[in-house]
Amino acid sequence: MKLTLIAGARPNFIKIAPIIHAIDEQQEMSINLRYRLVHTGQHYDQKMSDTFFKELNIPEPDTNLGCGGGTQAEQTAAIMVAFEKELIANPADLVMVVGDVNSTMACSIVAKKLLTKVAHVEAGIRSYDLTMPEEINRMVTDCLADYFFTTTEWAGKNLQKLGIPKERIFFVGNVMIDTLLQNRPRFRKPAIWDKLGLKKENYLVLTLHRPANVDEDTKFKAFLQAIIEASNGLPVIFPVHPRTAKILESLPLSHSPSLHLIDPLGYLEFNFLVQNAKAVITDSGGITEETTVMGIPCLTLRDNTERPETITIGTNELIGTDPAAIKPALKKLFAGEWKKGEIPELWDGRAADRIVEKLTGLYGN
Ligand code: UD1
Ligand code: UDP
């Protein structure tokens, strides 16, 4: 069986790593599953791409389509044009896409139009917020896909509501958590740890990259101001996404001794920081899952989430997008009143094994 695996952006690399390792292991047991790895080039900086391939032992992609940058339509169209050529030249029995980035949707459309089956990993999650490009990507991908690998029972129910038969939905768990659990013993101190003399639970980690939070100067500044004021003087470590960095270049910030802007970190260093933090403040989706599994309080600066289990079961809370909401939330944290949380069902480090098992069942050996 020939599988084409798609990855384009930082969270994709973290999700495909365990799938590739599970396929490699199964191949050693002589299953006939060959894969071709296609990098769309959506993320291209060394710190947003290469670092993850090296750290997570992902093989060199068979091809890189080089489709980074541009508007939503430009990027999606560029990936579609390039991936159509790629898939015609290298036909597959199945194209596997992960997550909800533009690469996920663009490659699903191309594959279906070339009459190739599509499997979606992390299918069925929904924020119902169509102002987010990711929600559109999820909806389109799930309308087209043939096989659906889900992180929760809830995601499966969402898919069934669309009329997708349960026989094509496989509740396997969370591949992002596979990577987390497999690499936890390898987490390592980033340079900022010794530079600032950081100590366990004595600092906050911040990440922000959603257009709704960073594209508007006044709002972005108000967020940073509110976080600095409410952080009890604790250092706030902010690994800045390149999208956010571009905005910060033209955003004069008054110097604050507690706010530390650094380059994006590699996976092992970033999660070392998260694992030892007092709390994480973020608008990322993946980070809410990782903090849930590590039991670290997570304050999400969004009005909704496609990952409700991180709130109902885990350590995440939706703080919203009003900077005034940060102070009371951090007050609750410092008062020791943050919930403890538990780990969602099947987030046990074996999701990728289950995916490969299903593929073997579907396509024979
Ligand atoms: C994308 C995903 C988002 C995901 C995020 C993960 C979509 C619609 N958005 O957002 O769901 O949470 O990745 O990080 O797919 N840039 C660089 N270097 C890079 C990558 C990006 O400079 O390596 C800059 C470029 O100016 C680029 C901009 O960031 O135009 C936005 O990148 P893009 O991939 O379009 O969206 P993200 O904001 O990264
Ligand atoms: N991450 C990282 N270094 C950083 C910031 C994030 O390795 O400096 C990892 C993080 O552990 C998680 C993933 O990147 O696995 C989340 O990616 P991001 O927030 O960019 O995307 P989202 O999950 O919001 O789509």
Side-chain angles (χ1 to χ4, degrees), residues 10-129:
R10 175 166 68 187
N12 288 175
F13 310 138
I14 293 154
K15 289 167 198 171
I16 60 156
I19 300 174
I20 287 179
H21 298 147
I23 294 174
D24 287 345
E25 259 171 44
Q26 292 289 323
Q27 261 170 352
E28 278 166 24
M29 289 150 74
S30 86
I31 66 155
N32 184 19
L33 202 171
R34 278 175 295 139
Y35 66 88
R36 181 170 169 83
L37 177 56
V38 174
H39 189 323
T40 65
Q42 180 174 344
H43 283 179
Y44 46 88
D45 287 350
Q46 195 221 323
K47 289 184 170 138
M48 296 298 287
S49 178
D50 288 10
T51 304
F52 297 93
F53 280 75
K54 290 200 183 86
E55 282 191 335
L56 303 177
N57 206 11
I58 306 170
E60 278 280 303
D62 292 286
T63 183
N64 188 320
L65 306 178
C67 300
T71 63
Q72 291 292 312
E74 284 165 348
Q75 188 179 83
T76 306
I79 298 170
M80 286 180 68
V81 172
F83 183 57
E84 187 179 55
K85 291 194 180 96
E86 152 63 30
L87 192 57
I88 289 170
N90 299 286
D93 299 306
L94 181 72
V95 169
M96 179 174 274
V97 295
V98 298
D100 55 15
V101 301
N102 287 344
S103 304
T104 311
M105 177 183 75
C107 294
S108 303
I109 297 173
V110 168
K112 286 305 287 183
K113 291 202 170 189
L114 290 175
L115 308 182
T116 307
K117 287 204 164 19
V118 170
H120 185 201
V121 175
E122 203 185 90
I125 61 176
R126 292 289 184 274
S127 67
Y128 301 103
D129 176 358

Side-chain angles (χ1 to χ4, degrees), residues 10-11 14 52 176 209-210 239 241 264-267 270-271 284-287 290:
R10 175 166 68 187
I14 293 154
F52 297 93
M176 200 162 216
H209 70 277
R210 301 277 166 214
H241 187 287
L265 289 169
Y267 183 80
F270 180 73
N271 282 293
S284 162
I287 294 172
E290 292 163 345

